[in-house]
Amino acid sequence: MSGIVGYIGKMQAYPFLIEGLYKLEYRGYDSAGVAVQCPDGLKIIKTKGEISNLEEKVGKNLLAGNAGFGHLRWATHGKPSEINAHPHRACSDDFALVHNGIIENYLQLRQWLESEGHRFISETDTEVLAHLIEHYYRGDLLESVQEAIKKVTGSFALVAGVRGEKDRLICARKDAPLMIGLGENENYISSDFAALLPHTRKIHILEDMETALITASAVKIFNSDCTVLQKKAQQINWDVTSAEKSGYEHFMLKEIMEQPQALRDTMRGRLLDGGKKIDLSSELNFTTQEIKDFAKVFIVACGTAYHAGLVGKYLMEKILRLPVEVDVASEFRYRDPLLCENTLVIVISQSGETADTLAALRLARERGHKILAITNVVGSSVAREAGRVLFTYAGPEIAVASTKAYLTQLLALYMLTYYFAQERNLLEQKQLEKAGESLFNLPAQVETILDREKEIPKMADYLSRWENAYFIGRNMDFAVALEGALKLKEISYIHAEAYAAGELKHGTLALVVEGIPVMALATQNAVLDKSLSNIKEIKARGGYVHCFAQEGSEALQNEVDSIFYLPPAEDVFLPVLAVIPLQLLAYYTAVARGCPIDNPRNLTKSITVE
Ligand code: M6R
């Protein structure tokens, strides 16, 4: 989730660009850069790290010019570095471009462009776009952008400029946000409202496959057939703080709502042909023999990432029939773990900087094991040290409570499992295709759950009045219950515990008193009868049961106090769906209790100390 800003008009462009970059800072970044149409050419200045580094580098360099654009990079392809930072040039210094998104077919395009004589200097997918635009350039930047975007698959929001057309900037978008703010003899571009609102409230939000030609005095928007559209700008009345959160009150809710997109971004280029094929070969770089030789999997992580690992255990043991051990990193590193030969160690970390996880990774590496990291941050310590990485593309997660990172970690584990199943010849082609299609459908199913957000506050209102709560589930539901309880604890400060439902009668049932809220996950149809018995045990002692089950499990309806139905799917995929109402429940409970949701007490986003 990089950030883009642009300006063309009567004023100098650079002051808006730098101010706009600061406004988009919350989106997360690892490098920053600007391009300005100066009298002696299109000048680019960029740096790794803070925006203040960029300001320092620009220093007394006069970036004088009335048109320009800037970028904050959150690395996806290629580590954070000055060369990989945007803006990117093509072969000639005349072109510059900033881009947010992922170009899926960049390798093929790069090979083709290289065969046509283009020279690449960065590791990014974005540079391909710059060369592609240069390749099609015949004196009209708009036409060459329109031509170029037809050749790419993936997502993009881009702004391009060329030295010979100082009076215009060209934008395009597909599956990544881009908007144009209208001023008086000046126009602005940004990835989101935050950078625009201090200057204008009249805003065009570009739609997929639209391109725009922007001059100081006019904005022309074209559809995918290159026909001019008569679009009316929207009047946006948000304040700047809500704009950063896309109008949501908290980053956590915004991030919960971003989950369908985060899933789509994480499956992009990996789940092909509607899910019929899973290809992770180029990223993982394991030979089929290496995959066949794995005798055990050891997953190590902390907190929410550990809970994702627990889902991974159920999944891998079921599908791969391989023993899987999961450990919290702080235990793993000090307990002299037994790692037999041919153990694959998977470390999971959103930030890639968690000290315990990093130490666990180093321990496994010292012992000579193959390591695979699942992380959300390109260039993080975990990504650099693991050797092999399956990145999640959740974009920066700002709320301390992890939501979209967890969901994309689950997706990464599912894709990995089915990819391994394919390489180990464990499933027939039809079964693989079915699984792939189920994964491919998940974002839409998550959307249908999010559309029913309004059902949650009522449940949350009840829960918010208690100081203790329980979460129960069997099989994969137990792993999800642990995550549901953690979410509730960390943001609402309610003491919440999760139990394997069958374990209650071994002690915890003594705590069930009249009215106590119990969140019962009963999504695993294979053990539905057993879950129902556990629910009855709780009801018999006066517990108040909120149930989460697949549509079609009507037998539960009369046994519980409230029920949230999830879209039906094979049991194995339910964790991705079941966690959504639990995230919303934690969120609305914390809202009802007036808690500081994005920054809960005593916690920080990334724990880089022991
Ligand atoms: O960045 P990491 O995934 O390594 O972080 C691990 C935990 O600190 C993190 O998941 C934590 O548990 C979250 N705050 C939970 O919402």
Side-chain angles (χ1 to χ4, degrees), residues 501-545:
E503 188 62 14
L504 279 184
K505 56 186 173 293
H506 297 288
T508 313
L509 209 49
L511 294 174
V512 174
V513 292
E514 192 64 35
I516 194 148
V518 178
M519 273 46 72
L521 283 110
T523 76
Q524 300 293 295
N525 284 340
V527 287
L528 194 60
D529 291 350
K530 305 286 168 202
S531 304
L532 184 56
S533 306
N534 300 132
I535 289 170
K536 284 180 176 170
E537 286 163 8
I538 295 162
K539 283 304 302 166
R541 280 135 189 111
Y544 189 93
V545 175

Side-chain angles (χ1 to χ4, degrees), residues 258-273:
E258 282 170 354
Q259 291 183 110
Q261 189 59 42
L263 289 176
R264 288 191 176 106
D265 288 343
T266 301
M267 60 178 68
R268 201 184 295 289
R270 294 161 166 175
L271 275 186
L272 311 170
D273 196 10

Side-chain angles (χ1 to χ4, degrees), residues 302-305 348-354 357 400-402 409 483 486-487 490 603-607:
C302 299
T304 286
I348 309 178
S349 173
Q350 186 284 129
S351 61
E353 299 297 347
T354 300
T357 308
V400 165
S402 182
Q409 286 160 358
E483 176 57 9
L486 177 62
K487 284 290 90 82
E490 71 178 328
L603 300 176
T604 56
K605 185 66 186 160
S606 179
I607 319 284

Side-chain angles (χ1 to χ4, degrees), residues 156-157 171-178 205-210:
F156 52 82
C171 300
R173 81 151 261 177
K174 178 175 172 268
D175 292 336
L178 199 62
I205 300 167
L206 281 191
E207 302 289 343
D208 280 350
M209 292 311 283
E210 286 181 355

Side-chain angles (χ1 to χ4, degrees), residues 358-532:
L358 197 53
L361 182 161
R362 287 173 181 158
L363 176 69
R365 195 181 53 195
E366 273 159 27
R367 295 193 179 184
H369 289 279
K370 293 207 164 73
I371 299 165
L372 170 65
I374 295 179
T375 182
N376 197 36
V377 183
V378 177
S380 61
S381 305
V382 163
R384 282 184 279 113
E385 295 192 27
R388 287 185 170 86
V389 188
L390 188 55
F391 285 108
T392 53
Y393 293 116
E397 194 178 58
I398 292 166
V400 165
S402 182
T403 54
K404 60 179 182 169
Y406 171 79
L407 215 67
T408 53
Q409 286 160 358
L410 292 189
L411 177 62
L413 287 162
Y414 281 91
M415 292 193 294
L416 185 69
T417 302
Y418 286 104
Y419 175 65
F420 278 7
Q422 171 187 297
E423 298 302 291
R424 290 168 75 104
N425 293 326
L426 293 172
L427 296 177
E428 286 173 14
Q429 188 53 31
K430 272 208 167 121
Q431 293 173 298
L432 282 169
E433 285 183 12
K434 196 168 165 234
E437 282 166 1
S438 300
L439 292 178
F440 197 76
N441 290 335
L442 286 172
Q445 291 182 308
V446 170
E447 261 156 8
T448 65
I449 300 171
L450 293 172
D451 287 347
R452 288 162 46 216
E453 181 199 355
K454 286 198 173 66
E455 293 173 41
I456 304 291
K458 192 166 167 238
M459 275 189 225
D461 181 55
Y462 184 87
L463 184 53
S464 68
R465 286 179 263 133
W466 288 78
E467 290 309 318
N468 296 289
Y470 297 98
F471 287 70
I472 59 163
R474 283 174 175 264
N475 201 283
M476 291 176 117
D477 279 343
F478 173 43
V480 180
L482 285 160
E483 176 57 9
L486 177 62
K487 284 290 90 82
L488 188 68
K489 276 184 272 206
E490 71 178 328
I491 61 166
S492 77
Y493 311 151
I494 293 174
H495 169 237
E497 294 303 332
Y499 291 96
E503 188 62 14
L504 279 184
K505 56 186 173 293
H506 297 288
T508 313
L509 209 49
L511 294 174
V512 174
V513 292
E514 192 64 35
I516 194 148
V518 178
M519 273 46 72
L521 283 110
T523 76
Q524 300 293 295
N525 284 340
V527 287
L528 194 60
D529 291 350
K530 305 286 168 202
S531 304
L532 184 56

